């Protein structure tokens, strides 16, 4: 085990030293996917709840995909975790809160309103108001001419 870690580190160092970009091969491990990563729950209602929640959660590796769409190993682990907890009777909201507590607000596509995320919520409103102001001003100038 130590030998394989050393050989991976040595291979990474050689690639960095030679200027060759790192391959995706080094980003995935050799372990099999989690049991429920690619298997649906037997209960269709629970699977529907799991799917809805997985669409709301961001893959921390891909960053542009939900964990439902991502093939990254971590997304598979998160899908398995969501399905396991829903099968155990935990509510999707409780699972979502636990993941936010563990990984931060970034894990969700719908971050809660707080002082840190306030610019994300306020910026679209300010830009809309600015657009309306500019449009009204432009229309008034055209009417005056």
């Amino acid at each position: 085990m130590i030998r394989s870690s050393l050989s991976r580190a040595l291979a990474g160092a050689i690639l960095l030293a030679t200027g060759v970009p790192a391959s995706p091969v080094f980003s995935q491990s050799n372990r099999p996917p989690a049991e429920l990563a690619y298997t649906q729950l037997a209960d269709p209602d629970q699977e529907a709840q799991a799917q809805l929640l997985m669409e709301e959660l961001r893959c921390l590796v891909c960053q542009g995909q939900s964990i439902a769409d991502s093939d990254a190993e971590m997304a598979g682990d998160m899908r398995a975790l969501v399905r396991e907890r829903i099968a155990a009777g935990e509510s999707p909201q409780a699972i979502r809160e636990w993941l936010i507590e563990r990984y931060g607000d970034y894990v969700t596509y719908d971050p809660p309103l707080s002082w840190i995320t306030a610019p994300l919520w306020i910026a679209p409103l300010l830009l809309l108001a600015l657009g309306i102001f500019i449009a009204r001003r432009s229309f008034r100038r055209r009417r005056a001419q």
Side-chain angles (χ1 to χ4, degrees):
M1 179 142 183
I2 293 173
R3 196 175 258 171
S4 70
S5 296
L6 287 173
S7 63
R8 278 190 197 162
L10 180 60
I14 291 171
L15 287 174
L16 284 175
T18 59
V20 177
S23 164
V25 172
F26 293 110
S27 65
Q28 300 287 337
S29 72
N30 293 332
R31 69 184 177 96
E35 184 178 331
L36 291 173
Y38 296 99
T39 306
Q40 295 186 350
L41 295 172
D43 182 2
D45 292 333
Q46 287 182 334
E47 181 61 27
Q49 287 179 342
Q51 284 295 327
L52 284 174
L53 181 58
M54 288 186 285
E55 289 293 329
E56 294 177 7
L57 298 172
R58 183 188 319 256
C59 175
L60 300 173
V61 176
C62 303
Q63 299 179 3
Q65 293 179 306
S66 68
I67 63 170
D69 298 331
S70 174
D71 286 331
E73 186 176 339
M74 184 169 190
D77 292 343
M78 290 174 74
R79 283 192 304 271
L81 180 126
V82 166
R83 286 186 173 122
E84 287 169 6
R85 288 181 167 225
I86 285 185
E90 200 169 336
S91 74
Q93 183 61 30
I95 298 167
R96 184 176 181 270
E97 289 172 3
W98 183 82
L99 287 167
I100 289 171
E101 183 179 310
R102 182 170 185 171
Y103 297 111
D105 290 335
Y106 186 76
V107 77
T108 180
Y109 283 116
D110 187 22
L113 183 59
S114 68
W115 287 108
I116 294 172
T117 61
L120 294 173
W121 292 97
I122 295 171
L125 298 174
L126 291 175
L127 290 173
L128 181 64
L130 179 65
I132 290 171
F133 174 75
I134 291 171
R136 287 184 77 193
R137 200 167 166 206
S138 175
F139 289 136
R140 283 185 183 166
R141 261 195 228 160
R142 285 186 186 173
R143 238 190 279 165
Q145 290 178 347

